[in-house]
Amino acid sequence: MPFETLDTDLFLWRDTCNVYLIRDGDAAILIDLGDGSVLDHLSEVGVRDVEWVLFTHHHREQCQGLGKLAGGKMKVGAPEAERGFFERPAEFRKLKPTLNDAFAVYGASFVRPPISAIKIDRGFGRMDDFAWRGREFWCVETSGNSPGSMSYLLKRGDRWIAFGGDVMLFGAKMHTWFDTEWDYGFAKGIYALHNAAALLDSFELVSLYPSHGAVIREPRLHLQEYQGKLRELARHYVRGYELFTFAAADQDRVSKPTVVPHVWQVTPHLFKFKGPDYWPNFSLILADNGHGLVIDCGLFDKVFLDKAIGLMQERLGLKKIDAVIVTHYHGDHCQEAPHMREKWGAKLWTLDRVTDRVRYPERYDYAAPINTYGKNIDSIVFDRLLRDGETFTWEGFTITADWMPGQTEFAQCLHGEIDGRRVAFTGDNIFASTTDPAQNGHEAVVARNSGILEEGYLYAAGYLHGLNPDLIIGGHSWVMDKPAGLIERYRAGALALRSALKALSCEEDYRYWFDPYWVQAEPYRVKVAPGGQGDVVIYVRNFRDRDQMHRIELHAPPGIKCEPAVLEGTLKEETRKGFAVRVGAAEGAALGVAIVAFDVTIDGRRYGELFDLMVEVAK
């Protein structure tokens, strides 16, 4: 494609992102680089030398042409807050993630650094300026779609223009949701993006030049509409109960204290723990013969737990804990399960769709797996795997295990009749007061839980509506009595949330914009020795109701080779398909972490290096 002329000495080149060229005689400055192809076409606009490349932010599609900078005279400027992403990219891909890793959602990184380091000649502060050939740029942090992204503002005559990166796209749209999701459902990225848009709005811009899509002329109405959409999203996105304020009061208004300290009775056969601001995961069905069945076990001091179980044996007639059933893959629901097996002889059960994310957490890039909690538990092997829809009888109770995604795809609901009531054990899918109409009950919305709404809260809402339980036992000590009204609010809230997300999505199907896994490597982390090889499967998903053509180039740093290096073909509607890839390391490959990026083109639209896998080169 040829350059587009935007204004006097201002041109646009399109590839993996919008690359803007500002010309002065035969010299130029670039705003972002894309795949670097712009450098092969400079003569078309009379440019001989590019003196600076200014990056708005670190995302790979902005800078994946970095190889063409090698040995050149161009200098590189970027936000100082993102210098580390450019210069030390492998530090932001952890072989052993933890809950507290920087720039991660409970261990799943939300930054997208280049596959090889880029040296930054000048890092710009949050409020900085930059002069080039008589032009004075205001450098202003406008984070939100990236943690430290920056807009470069330039005055032309008496009006301002801005090179805004991914603050906003034409039509008051967001570039990607999964880049703005910075925390575990608390909307930090939304707030930052809203405030960045408001700051740009105050310049009364004549033009906003985004990193993707169409140029935005007279962008004030777009920016103001965008701020309204972000506020509406935050309203539906943040948890639908009174977390950190009154939630402890709503947590359980049903159970009664027992003869065992801090163990409470919900119904004659159903028990839990309760205390001040206390949020463990543990429910116990106690049969008449003294056998116990536990649902989830996590967030305990083991001494406290063992003492309570011992007293339950002495005072409540507990004789044996037969099994612990884990509702979903998050570590806080299973971190004491191995202890229950070792100390109390319990078997460990879960749904077959859950097991791999707990047994092999390092193979995936999801939030909050068991190995991120610092408990020295890297894996749990289960004794029994339940199938979706499987019904089993235990000590006179008939219990069904159903796949029920919500907060995460990898979850189940256990339900059955206990003491004359239909009881549902729902994990972390729904928490709220059943009597407060202001609460809709949804828990954290987290894309990196594999939480697409159609396979998450929307599914859970429809499922619970159909199940119509009398009592919900949620994770973290929640008990919700007579929840029918809450379930209907939960359904309505999920639909409103989806509408708010769709209003911001720049994609025909919002799931490409929401989901960070529609191209995904399994395993995500592969270990190879110098001169050795490892196997991965690259999965590609088609959300559409029509066939989808894909081309995925696997870009690896020096010393790493992928075969095949290109995946190309057609995917049938609404399918997910895996493609085998062999990853090899040269004999002289550098030891440590290498990033392999996937340059994605779908139906002729090039997205650039959106996704990746990690290669550990180790002897």
Side-chain angles (χ1 to χ4, degrees), residues 378-453:
D378 292 330
S379 174
I380 297 176
V381 178
F382 289 92
D383 301 294
R384 178 177 176 180
L385 300 182
L386 304 168
R387 301 181 307 278
D388 180 18
E390 181 175 347
T391 297
F392 62 92
T393 300
W394 173 84
E395 302 299 344
F397 296 94
T398 300
I399 299 171
T400 298
D402 288 332
W403 177 63
M404 191 187 77
Q407 186 196 54
T408 171
E409 172 189 357
F410 310 109
Q412 65 174 319
C413 174
L414 296 162
H415 61 91
E417 186 172 308
I418 301 174
D419 300 319
R421 307 191 73 191
R422 182 177 297 170
V423 179
F425 299 88
T426 56
D428 280 353
N429 289 319
I430 182 170
F431 304 140
S433 166
T434 57
T435 58
D436 182 353
Q439 299 186 37
N440 67 29
H442 82 70
E443 228 303 83
V445 178
V446 181
R448 286 177 173 81
N449 275 334
S450 192
I452 297 170
L453 295 184

Side-chain angles (χ1 to χ4, degrees), residues 205-452:
L205 302 171
V206 64
S207 295
L208 176 59
Y209 299 112
S211 283
H212 296 88
V215 168
I216 309 170
R217 304 294 187 184
E218 302 294 341
R220 293 207 72 189
L221 291 178
H222 293 257
L223 287 164
Q224 290 165 11
E225 180 185 357
Y226 191 51
Q227 292 169 66
K229 288 181 178 180
L230 290 168
R231 284 178 178 268
E232 180 70 4
L233 174 58
R235 191 166 73 87
H236 297 292
Y237 172 79
V238 177
R239 290 165 172 80
Y241 61 103
E242 297 180 319
L243 185 67
F244 300 138
T245 56
F246 305 112
D250 293 333
Q251 184 185 39
D252 172 14
R253 298 178 182 268
V254 176
S255 63
K256 303 297 181 185
T258 68
V259 293
V260 176
H262 314 300
V263 173
W264 293 60
Q265 188 169 31
V266 182
T267 70
H269 293 89
L270 183 56
F271 298 82
K272 54 157 283 186
F273 286 89
K274 183 176 178 178
D277 198 29
Y278 191 54
W279 307 93
N281 289 295
F282 185 99
S283 301
L284 170 69
I285 305 172
L286 181 58
D288 290 335
N289 64 0
H291 285 244
L293 186 66
V294 171
I295 291 86
D296 286 337
C297 191
L299 296 180
F300 279 101
D301 176 279
K302 291 186 180 67
V303 174
F304 174 86
L305 178 62
D306 290 343
K307 178 181 177 181
I309 291 174
L311 289 174
M312 281 190 268
Q313 290 180 324
E314 293 177 19
R315 302 178 185 180
L316 293 177
L318 175 66
K319 294 179 180 178
K320 183 178 187 302
I321 296 175
D322 291 344
V324 176
I325 307 180
V326 174
T327 60
H328 61 289
Y329 81 92
H330 288 158
D332 58 332
H333 288 255
C334 58
Q335 60 189 202
E336 271 71 64
H339 174 73
M340 293 291 285
R341 176 160 53 194
E342 294 162 11
K343 175 75 174 180
W344 300 101
K347 300 294 185 181
L348 305 186
W349 302 358
T350 194
L351 192 72
D352 53 8
R353 297 196 192 194
V354 175
T355 180
D356 274 8
R357 278 76 191 170
V358 185
R359 186 172 183 179
Y360 307 110
E362 76 285 350
R363 294 183 181 179
Y364 304 95
D365 187 32
Y366 296 125
I370 182 63
N371 59 336
T372 63
Y373 280 77
K375 299 290 186 179
N376 296 318
I377 304 173
D378 292 330
S379 174
I380 297 176
V381 178
F382 289 92
D383 301 294
R384 178 177 176 180
L385 300 182
L386 304 168
R387 301 181 307 278
D388 180 18
E390 181 175 347
T391 297
F392 62 92
T393 300
W394 173 84
E395 302 299 344
F397 296 94
T398 300
I399 299 171
T400 298
D402 288 332
W403 177 63
M404 191 187 77
Q407 186 196 54
T408 171
E409 172 189 357
F410 310 109
Q412 65 174 319
C413 174
L414 296 162
H415 61 91
E417 186 172 308
I418 301 174
D419 300 319
R421 307 191 73 191
R422 182 177 297 170
V423 179
F425 299 88
T426 56
D428 280 353
N429 289 319
I430 182 170
F431 304 140
S433 166
T434 57
T435 58
D436 182 353
Q439 299 186 37
N440 67 29
H442 82 70
E443 228 303 83
V445 178
V446 181
R448 286 177 173 81
N449 275 334
S450 192
I452 297 170

Side-chain angles (χ1 to χ4, degrees), residues 93-169:
R93 289 294 182 268
K94 300 291 187 181
L95 292 171
K96 294 185 176 181
T98 71
L99 290 183
N100 298 317
D101 287 340
F103 306 108
V105 180
Y106 285 179
S109 176
F110 61 80
V111 295
R112 193 158 60 252
I115 63 174
S116 297
I118 302 174
K119 182 180 181 298
I120 302 302
D121 296 292
R122 179 171 173 183
F124 300 113
R126 295 179 66 246
M127 297 167 62
D128 214 332
D129 57 85
F130 172 73
W132 178 75
R133 292 186 171 234
R135 297 167 175 85
E136 184 178 65
F137 292 85
W138 288 22
C139 311
V140 180
E141 183 178 283
T142 48
S143 60
N145 200 244
S146 184
S149 56
M150 180 156 284
S151 291
Y152 301 105
L153 293 112
L154 184 64
K155 201 166 189 180
R156 289 200 153 200
D158 62 349
R159 301 290 301 276
W160 290 89
I161 64 173
F163 301 93
D166 282 330
V167 172
M168 182 187 74
L169 276 56

